[in-house]
Amino acid sequence: MKKITLGILVLLAFTFSAKASHLMGGEIVVKVDSNNTAYFTLTLYRDGNPGSAGLGQTTSLQISQIGVSIPNVTLQRSSQTTLASSYLTEKHVYTGSITLPGNGLFTASFSLCCRNGAIMNGPANTGFYLSTDFTSYNILNSHTPVFLNDPMVTFPLDTVWSYNPLPFDADGDSLHWKLDTPMSASATNISSYTAPPSNPNGLFAMNAQTGEIRWSASQVGNYAVSILVEEYRAGIKIGEMRRDMQLIVLPDSSSMNMIRPSTPLVTNTAGQPLNVSFQVKSSNPQATLGLSSIGDPYQIVNSNANFAVSGSGTSTLSGTFTWTPAASDARDRPYRVVVRATDGKFSYDYTLLISVAANNVSLEGYNKSNGLTLYPNPSNGMITVGLKDVDQPSYLLEVFDIQGNLVKQLNVNSSDLSSELKVQIESGKGTYILRLNNSNELSKTLIIE
């Protein structure tokens, strides 16, 4: 990795802060209880360097529903911390609640001026707007999605890097995530917006399966991005929320090297212990190394998932993820675990997928659960796919490689699925994820040998 002196790095950071406004991103999370009381959490990320405008102790959200007049909600700041980043970034959390007038779809929105004046992929000093759509069911508790991982602020120039915000839903609803255009204070897309500049070997993109963003930045600067997460229940969209972030690209001063598993997908059986090892090294004597982990297994009640770290914080750190999933943890969708390595300048995320089968079911049998059949598995590329309970005339069948690239897509009739459909995967040996979009969006892990 390229080298640069600490003095130049500090100078570049000061140059960015001198041009900055204050808002660098944020998101709105909502929880609704069975009494129709909505609890709001607004998180704002602010440039903490001198010269940036401050944020108050209180702020407000606008709550709207078509045809209904609803008062704004006053939020109180409940905490103020800083992100683990070499660029000083404050995290302000505001909370408040309101009793909703009834059931249905609502929108919570926040706007303020302005975004960072140094942003290069859209107009400077443009307005800042966040919104979250959520559904109230009156007698049921419900949650919007959340992001388990804090934003990553700084990215190295000309280096393939990855970050996973880890969208997660406590209700188990189906989530679809994608990169989107940030919005201005007028609730419209920022004009003349372009994606952050990338090198050909690392185009700015988000993995459709894991949520991981990979990027090789081709130009130093500040860039605004937005992640949109849509929430579906029984095939019906019940909400969406977004996270805005400001990414700062600096010359690569990192000598960090992460040693990770040979494959990002591991398979396990309920009741069997799982151990996955990681290591981060640095030849830079000024490095302050760190390893941490977050992900789906840690969100399970009474989970025994653990990440233990050992070693020196200056030259080598080792980390081991351990988990013995219970029988109730077996499911079709892989669990996501993100391991984050840091060296005091940059952070790097690695996403591990863990497929957990029931302890009395073979891999082939496991892939026949929930009405969706897929066999043989492993296979030579020719597979048979079927669906026991069809509930719509046609389906979209998609196959992704482990990096999230779409390698095959078919529109199939329900009659073909009910009688079992033969599909040829021509992409060669490896691990794939087959996804069938219906009311439950079923997915299976496929291995080609």
Side-chain angles (χ1 to χ4, degrees):
M1 293 182 175
K2 299 176 182 177
K3 304 293 181 183
I4 188 169
T5 65
L6 179 61
I8 295 176
L9 185 64
V10 171
L11 177 60
L12 283 165
F14 176 80
T15 301
F16 290 138
S17 67
K19 294 190 284 185
S21 177
H22 58 283
L23 286 176
M24 299 176 66
E27 68 253 21
I28 302 169
V29 172
V30 187
K31 175 183 177 181
V32 184
D33 67 16
S34 58
N35 296 316
N36 251 19
T37 300
Y39 300 87
F40 303 94
T41 301
L42 167 68
T43 302
L44 297 176
Y45 304 102
R46 172 189 175 270
D47 189 327
N49 288 281
S52 298
L55 294 174
Q57 183 62 37
T58 64
T59 190
S60 64
L61 288 181
Q62 180 179 352
I63 312 301
S64 59
Q65 186 183 39
I66 296 176
V68 181
S69 177
I70 306 173
N72 290 353
V73 180
T74 299
L75 306 181
Q76 299 284 335
R77 182 163 55 199
S78 57
S79 67
Q80 178 181 336
T81 56
T82 57
L83 297 183
S85 170
S86 58
Y87 188 90
L88 183 57
T89 305
E90 296 175 353
K91 178 182 180 180
H92 298 250
V93 179
Y94 295 85
T95 57
S97 64
I98 190 176
T99 300
L100 300 171
N103 297 335
L105 183 66
F106 296 83
T107 298
S109 60
F110 172 84
S111 62
L112 194 67
C113 183
C114 295
R115 296 179 186 271
N116 193 325
I119 288 174
M120 301 174 64
N121 59 334
N125 296 310
T126 189
F128 180 86
Y129 178 86
L130 293 173
S131 68
T132 293
D133 295 342
F134 63 98
T135 299
S136 171
Y137 294 96
N138 194 16
I139 62 173
L140 296 176
N141 295 330
S142 61
H143 307 75
T144 63
V146 299
F147 295 100
L148 298 181
N149 239 351
D150 277 338
M152 191 180 291
V153 180
T154 55
F155 287 74
L157 180 68
D158 295 330
T159 306
V160 178
W161 221 248
S162 62
Y163 159 66
N164 196 329
L166 266 179
F168 174 82
D169 185 76
D171 299 325
D173 294 324
S174 177
L175 300 183
H176 298 249
W177 46 74
K178 63 181 180 180
L179 297 171
D180 198 46
T181 301
M183 304 183 76
S184 68
S186 60
T188 58
N189 290 343
I190 292 178
S191 62
S192 306
Y193 178 81
T194 59
S198 308
N199 291 306
N201 66 326
L203 297 179
F204 189 76
M206 191 173 193
N207 188 304
Q209 294 299 316
T210 66
E212 185 176 86
I213 296 172
R214 291 181 65 81
W215 186 29
S216 175
S218 61
Q219 185 176 351
V220 168
N222 290 253
Y223 304 97
V225 300
S226 190
I227 301 168
L228 182 67
V229 180
E230 298 173 310
E231 181 182 14
Y232 291 81
R233 181 174 296 176
I236 300 173
K237 184 176 178 180
I238 62 171
E240 68 176 39
M241 57 96 68
R242 69 174 62 238
R243 168 184 277 177
D244 271 23
M245 301 188 301
Q246 178 184 318
L247 311 181
I248 301 176
V249 179
L250 298 171
D252 185 359
S253 62
S254 177
S255 59
M256 181 169 57
N257 178 34
M258 187 180 190
I259 301 172
R260 55 208 185 184
S262 58
T263 174
L265 175 70
V266 297
T267 57
N268 197 44
T269 303
Q272 296 298 314
L274 177 68
N275 295 271
V276 185
S277 297
F278 299 82
Q279 193 174 69
V280 59
K281 297 183 177 182
S282 178
S283 59
N284 184 350
Q286 295 180 329
T288 303
L289 298 179
L291 272 176
S292 59
S293 177
I294 196 168
D296 300 339
Y298 302 105
Q299 309 306 311
I300 300 171
V301 176
N302 297 324
S303 172
N304 57 25
N306 184 60
F307 190 74
V309 179
S310 62
S312 166
T314 57
S315 60
T316 303
L317 276 183
S318 298
T320 302
F321 171 78
T322 59
W323 183 35
T324 303
S328 58
D329 298 330
R331 71 181 195 186
D332 291 330
R333 292 180 294 113
Y335 291 86
R336 297 170 301 156
V337 173
V338 171
V339 175
R340 175 169 290 189
T342 63
D343 67 352
K345 299 296 181 186
F346 300 103
S347 299
Y348 179 89
D349 285 350
Y350 179 80
T351 304
L352 180 72
L353 298 178
I354 303 172
S355 182
V356 178
N359 57 13
N360 59 347
V361 182
S362 67
L363 180 60
E364 180 176 330
Y366 173 59
N367 279 279
K368 291 184 178 181
S369 63
N370 288 342
L372 176 62
T373 62
L374 188 162
Y375 64 90
N377 194 10
S379 77
N380 61 4
M382 176 62 75
I383 59 174
T384 299
V385 181
L387 185 61
K388 180 179 179 181
D389 299 315
V390 296
D391 59 359
Q392 58 193 54
S394 63
Y395 297 83
L396 180 65
L397 187 151
E398 298 171 309
V399 179
F400 298 86
D401 66 18
I402 204 62
Q403 284 75 41
N405 301 309
L406 182 67
V407 299
K408 197 174 191 69
Q409 185 178 69
L410 294 172
N411 286 299
V412 296
N413 295 323
S414 58
S415 58
D416 293 332
L417 282 173
S418 60
S419 60
E420 297 194 330
L421 173 71
K422 291 191 178 296
V423 179
Q424 177 70 49
I425 312 298
E426 300 90 354
S427 301
K429 296 180 180 180
T431 301
Y432 299 86
I433 295 175
L434 182 145
R435 184 169 72 185
L436 185 66
N437 282 321
N438 73 343
S439 59
N440 296 313
E441 194 194 273
L442 303 175
S443 63
K444 303 291 181 184
T445 302
L446 167 66
I447 298 174
I448 297 179
E449 297 181 334

